[in-house]
Amino acid sequence: MTNDRVEIIAEIAQGYEGDKKLSELLAKGATAAGADSVKFQLVYADELATPDYMYYDLFRSLEMDSNFWKQLCSVIHDNGKKVYFDVFGLMSLEVASEIDADGVKLSTTEFYNNRLFDAALSMFNVIFLSVGGVPIEDVDKKMSMLSDEEINKICLMYGFQAEPTPLDQNNLVKLRMLKQRYPKNKIGFMDHSDGGLEDAYYLPIVSLGVGIDVI
């Protein structure tokens, strides 16, 4: 186990549905539940899809103005919590910086987006980098190119992101491998088990045994 307290992030993702009131309620619920941080996906349709894509209009419906996001960040901060955003391009990254986010997450889809990764490194001190499905050789290469200062900014996040993920496909042993292979990085577990099953409660607790830093 690490000496520091494990950080628990309440994952809102796209669950706010582009609704400001729902966003406020979810943030309030997360802080009241005792989470250390709250994370949303900062969605702009043009970063994720072309207009002819079947879900383009859905992504558009999730867009909210930066003034609201900044206000929500302030509310979360006033409650003593941190706020993070998944970003999918330079536009959402810039917005995350402008609204005083504490850090950003880059999905596996963005792992090879070196321009976005480099920009995130220059703008934030906390970066969650998803490595689920990424060949370990590619993770080695990316980490080897970074200074110790940059490595300290990065938390490598692992999770098999089917929805829901069957219990036998979570492969928690990979968390231990990541912890041993990258001792300078923080390691986090992204649980996508069925929220209606006991797995959702026990699986993150089991993951503590490999010394993770973030759930």
Side-chain angles (χ1 to χ4, degrees):
M1 295 290 290
T2 57
N3 293 323
D4 296 331
R5 184 178 183 277
V6 173
E7 181 177 6
I8 299 176
I9 301 175
E11 173 66 54
I12 307 301
Q14 298 178 9
Y16 59 93
E17 299 178 354
D19 185 304
K20 294 180 179 179
K21 184 62 176 178
L22 180 57
S23 302
E24 292 170 347
L25 288 171
L26 287 167
K28 182 178 180 180
T31 56
D36 301 297
S37 317
V38 187
K39 185 164 73 64
F40 298 87
Q41 291 187 8
L42 192 54
V43 174
Y44 295 100
D46 290 329
E47 286 191 329
L48 290 167
T50 55
D52 59 342
Y53 180 57
M54 61 184 298
Y55 294 122
Y56 181 82
D57 290 339
L58 172 63
F59 293 144
R60 284 292 300 271
S61 73
L62 296 171
E63 295 180 4
M64 295 195 293
D65 64 85
S66 59
N67 288 332
F68 170 76
W69 282 123
K70 188 174 181 67
Q71 177 184 354
L72 189 61
C73 284
S74 295
V75 172
I76 295 171
H77 286 149
D78 288 345
N79 280 278
K81 311 297 183 180
K82 297 178 181 179
V83 56
Y84 306 123
F85 288 93
D86 289 72
V87 296
F88 304 97
L90 295 176
M91 177 180 173
S92 51
L93 180 67
E94 289 284 350
V95 172
S97 178
E98 292 170 2
I99 62 180
D100 299 324
D102 296 287
V104 294
K105 176 174 173 262
L106 305 183
S107 68
T108 297
T109 307
E110 304 300 333
F111 182 88
Y112 298 99
N113 187 341
N114 291 328
R115 186 180 180 192
L116 179 61
F117 178 73
D118 291 343
L121 273 178
S122 69
M123 296 169 66
F124 287 95
N125 290 322
V126 178
I127 300 168
F128 300 98
L129 182 63
S130 180
V131 296
V134 177
I136 198 65
E137 296 81 8
D138 291 353
V139 181
D140 285 345
K141 181 178 180 181
K142 187 177 284 288
M143 293 300 103
S144 69
M145 298 173 65
L146 303 178
S147 66
D148 285 347
E149 180 182 357
E150 291 171 329
I151 286 176
N152 288 334
K153 294 182 177 184
I154 297 171
C155 178
L156 299 176
M157 302 293 293
Y158 173 75
F160 185 84
Q161 297 187 43
E163 298 176 8
T165 303
L167 181 62
D168 62 353
Q169 293 185 29
N170 276 279
N171 196 10
L172 295 184
V173 174
K174 191 163 185 178
L175 288 168
R176 175 174 290 145
M177 180 275 290
L178 291 171
K179 193 72 178 177
Q180 293 172 345
R181 196 177 187 99
Y182 308 109
K184 295 181 180 179
N185 290 99
K186 289 187 175 181
I187 306 296
F189 176 51
M190 299 181 291
D191 173 32
H192 289 78
S193 56
D194 188 335
L197 300 179
E198 290 186 345
D199 297 351
Y201 181 79
Y202 292 112
L203 193 62
I205 294 176
V206 173
S207 73
L208 295 175
V210 300
I212 62 169
D213 304 282
V214 175
I215 296 175

